[in-house]
Amino acid sequence: MSGIRIAGFEKTVAELSGISGRLENAQPMWDEVGGYLVVKTQNRFDTGTSPEGAKWPASLRALNGAGKTLIDSARLYQSITHNASATGVEVGTNVEYAAIHQFGGTIHAKTSKGLNWSYSAKGANQKSWARKMSVTIPARPFLGIDDEDQIEILAIAERYIAGGSDARQ
């Protein structure tokens, strides 16, 4: 280099170094993104809508007035979590029946006894039992990112880059 000094150069280099350092370990940013997405995913259970805004098909239990679709014990709802690293975030669940609800599909009985489950009929004080050899579950997507989420994720990233190690600053 020729040794020419540009006014503000040192400050700019220092700011760029700070940004670079924050991006080397962006785990706090991804942790905030993950927390945001967990709340948004749980909100979908409350509203019964997909990330695209489509209403979920009502479950038989919900149609019979015995609760909300995908919220019986609230196990799936409460299992939504995130795992942040320096390079990204995963949002999801470890509940074994989550995939059939997310993507839909057909469950076939493994034995000749069929699939059995109890349900409460609307207005009835006692439970009834259903038995089928197969059941088709419609897709009720709860995981995903909508346009609003994309905007918020970018806002979190901008705050993180501008404000230091904690995106919530």
Side-chain angles (χ1 to χ4, degrees):
M1 277 191 31
S2 64
I4 299 174
R5 294 299 222 196
I6 300 171
F9 180 74
E10 291 83 9
K11 181 180 178 189
T12 301
V13 168
E15 286 182 27
L16 288 173
S17 291
I19 290 170
S20 176
R22 286 191 292 276
L23 292 178
E24 284 181 20
N25 182 11
Q27 185 167 355
M29 177 189 75
W30 291 117
D31 190 48
E32 183 174 350
V33 169
Y36 166 81
L37 290 174
V38 166
V39 169
K40 283 295 297 264
T41 300
Q42 290 174 329
N43 287 345
R44 291 188 187 108
F45 284 84
D46 296 332
T47 61
T49 55
S50 73
E52 292 79 28
K55 279 298 225 186
W56 292 340
S59 65
L60 290 176
R61 186 176 42 77
L63 289 172
N64 285 321
K68 295 177 81 172
T69 300
L70 291 191
I71 300 179
D72 184 11
S73 67
R75 179 178 176 213
L76 182 58
Y77 173 95
Q78 292 172 352
S79 74
I80 305 300
T81 188
H82 73 281
N83 183 24
S85 70
T87 59
V89 65
E90 299 170 327
V91 177
T93 175
N94 64 352
V95 171
E96 62 277 355
Y97 54 82
I100 194 74
H101 291 298
Q102 176 76 16
F103 303 110
T106 301
I107 301 171
H108 299 282
K110 293 182 180 179
T111 70
S112 61
K113 293 181 181 181
L115 302 166
N116 300 297
W117 68 94
S118 66
Y119 65 94
S120 296
K122 195 172 194 172
N125 291 332
Q126 58 185 344
K127 291 189 176 200
S128 298
W129 284 88
R131 179 184 307 226
K132 301 262 184 179
M133 292 310 293
S134 67
V135 176
T136 300
I137 309 263
R140 296 181 178 107
F142 52 92
L143 293 170
I145 296 174
D146 62 24
D147 292 343
E148 181 181 298
D149 298 337
Q150 291 179 36
I151 292 167
E152 182 58 25
I153 291 166
L154 288 173
I156 291 169
E158 288 173 0
R159 287 193 305 272
Y160 179 79
I161 291 169
S165 63
D166 186 351
R168 291 168 281 227
Q169 291 182 351

